[in-house]
Amino acid sequence: MGMTTSKVRLEICGSSYVVNTSESAEYMQNLADRLNLDMNELMSSSKTVSITTAAVMTALSYRDELEKASGSADNMRRQIKNYLEDAATSKMAAEELRRENASLQRRIDELKRRMNYPNAELDAKPEPDEL
């Protein structure tokens, strides 16, 4: 099944538009309100700015924001990927060090045992992983 869509009527700079959308009417109204505000701000800054010019300039401004936000999001994704790779490498190194620590601890325990009973295993040879 597809997304449910509804028609929303929006007023932007004195013109009415009906938009078919899957977004909520409140969300769409918030977008229209911001667009209306931004366009009216441009038009009030100069008597020569038409609705069309204001729409184009506002669209360019929004597109600029989108490009910069997309670039920031891409950068954040790369940083997160690098952090995850670093974390995985660190986790593997930590596990290797835990294994090495356990092996050394076994070797220490064996040497302590031999010190306590020096004649018990004179001919015993250390295990290869204990060296």
Side-chain angles (χ1 to χ4, degrees):
M1 285 191 182
M3 283 191 209
T4 305
T5 60
S6 61
K7 292 184 179 186
V8 178
R9 182 175 302 280
L10 304 171
E11 182 90 15
I12 301 169
C13 291
S15 294
S16 184
Y17 301 91
V18 176
V19 178
N20 194 25
T21 181
S22 59
E23 301 294 342
S24 72
E26 181 181 345
Y27 175 77
M28 293 304 295
Q29 188 59 55
N30 286 337
L31 292 178
D33 290 346
R34 178 176 174 208
L35 178 60
N36 197 42
L37 179 70
D38 291 346
M39 286 179 63
N40 279 317
E41 196 175 281
L42 273 172
M43 289 187 298
S44 68
S45 71
S46 172
K47 299 259 186 225
T48 61
V49 176
S50 67
I51 288 178
T52 303
T53 301
V56 169
M57 298 306 290
T58 302
L60 284 171
S61 176
Y62 289 174
R63 186 63 196 183
D64 180 51
E65 287 177 26
L66 174 64
E67 290 296 324
K68 288 175 180 171
S70 293
S72 292
D74 289 343
N75 186 41
M76 290 174 81
R77 277 189 282 278
R78 278 191 300 276
Q79 286 180 355
I80 289 169
K81 181 180 179 239
N82 290 340
Y83 293 150
L84 291 173
E85 288 171 356
D86 289 348
T89 300
S90 295
K91 184 177 180 180
M92 289 179 359
E95 185 56 38
E96 180 62 31
L97 290 172
R98 278 195 271 304
R99 283 193 298 272
E100 184 179 347
N101 188 32
S103 175
L104 291 171
Q105 189 60 50
R106 285 191 302 272
R107 179 73 174 136
I108 289 169
D109 292 344
E110 176 62 22
L111 291 172
K112 283 180 183 178
R113 187 181 61 75
R114 287 183 184 181
M115 286 176 57
N116 289 334
Y117 304 102
N119 295 326
E121 296 181 18
L122 289 176
D123 295 330
K125 293 183 181 172
E127 294 291 324
D129 70 331
E130 292 179 344
L131 294 177

